[in-house]
């Protein structure tokens, strides 16, 4: 059973860089037909897609965050990571990682499943 | 790129049916037959319950069904049960390799 687990600091200072890692277990991050994505949810608010990566390193980013986001992959560790620079209080959120069907295969696409449990990152001095 | 529009809240009594709408544009929901829906209980991660507008993942009860008309996707939950009380989010491809979510709908089972 595929599982994803986020890890990283729960507190980041304003103007610094938020760094999180997602570890994939029960399956290979090098699976064809799947990307790996980051989604966030500010407290009490809705979901926002941040970006997604393929095992080859090919990335897609939310245009509203693109200038501050870097997503990378380490296939040897079955992990992918998120870096968000110049953070402010507005970046305080629960950050989720998820498997992402970003390209169509057998007529199915554009969904996120499964999701990690999420990790709360607070931006505060 | 604004969020897809969902009602903030809906409610229904056990056994009844409710429908949650998700309105986008001809560039996102209307352009692709791949809208998806997620159920999120408090303090939990979202769970995929509908994909490709009408398909259900294994293990999701057939009380959950999806549809689409024009720029609006809909999630219908029939035979409401107490455990269906949760937040529901829709999602759609928005073109140019970007994805968006709806603002979320809180379902209350009365």
């Amino acid at each position: 059973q595929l599982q994803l687990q986020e890890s990283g600091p729960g507190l980041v200072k304003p103007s610094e860089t938020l760094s999180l890692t997602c570890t994939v277990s029960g399956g290979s991050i090098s699976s064809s037909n799947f990307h790996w994505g980051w989604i966030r949810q500010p407290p009490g608010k809705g979901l926002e897609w941040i970006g997604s990566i393929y095992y080859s390193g090919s990335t897609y980013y939310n245009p509203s965050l693109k200038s501050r986001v870097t997503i990378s992959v380490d296939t040897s560790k079955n992990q992918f990571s998120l870096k968000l620079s110049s953070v402010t209080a507005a970046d305080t959120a629960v950050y989720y990682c998820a498997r992402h069907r970003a390209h169509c295969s057998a007529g199915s696409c554009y969904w996120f499943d499964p999701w990690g449990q999420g990790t709360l990152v607070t931006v505060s001095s | 790129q604004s969020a897809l529009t969902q009602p903030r809240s809906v409610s229904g009594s056990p056994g009844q049916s409710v429908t949650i709408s998700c309105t986008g544009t001809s560039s996102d929901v209307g352009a692709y037959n791949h809208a998806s829906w997620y159920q999120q209980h408090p303090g939990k991660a979202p769970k995929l319950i509908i994909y490709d507008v009408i398909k259900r993942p294994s293990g999701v009860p057939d009380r959950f069904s999806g549809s689409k008309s024009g720029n609006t996707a809909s999630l219908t939950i029939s035979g409401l049960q107490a455990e269906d009380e949760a937040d529901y989010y829709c999602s759609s491809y928005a073109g140019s390799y970007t994805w968006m979510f709806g603002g979320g709908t809180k379902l209350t089972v009365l």
Side-chain angles (χ1 to χ4, degrees), chain B residues 28-101:
Chain B
D28 39 67
V29 175
Y32 307 98
N33 289 320
H34 297 287
S36 53
W37 289 90
Y38 303 84
Q39 177 190 60
Q40 185 180 36
H41 287 109
K44 301 294 187 182
K47 172 190 172 185
L48 178 68
I49 57 172
I50 294 289
Y51 65 103
D52 297 340
V53 177
I54 61 171
K55 299 175 183 176
R56 281 187 312 276
S58 174
V60 174
D62 59 6
R63 302 185 294 102
F64 293 87
S65 62
S67 62
K68 193 188 90 166
S69 178
N71 299 335
T72 298
S74 298
L75 171 69
T76 297
I77 309 170
S78 58
L80 268 178
Q81 299 183 2
E83 59 261 37
D84 298 334
E85 185 161 296
D87 293 328
Y88 292 84
Y89 293 90
C90 61
S91 178
S92 175
Y93 180 57
S96 301
Y97 296 110
T98 63
W99 285 263
M100 56 198 309
F101 288 91

Side-chain angles (χ1 to χ4, degrees), chain A residues 40-48 90 92-93, chain B residues 8 40 87 89 102-104:
Chain A
R40 70 180 182 177
Q41 184 173 36
K45 296 188 179 181
L47 301 168
E48 179 181 35
T92 293
Chain B
R8 291 188 66 88
Q40 185 180 36
D87 293 328
Y89 293 90

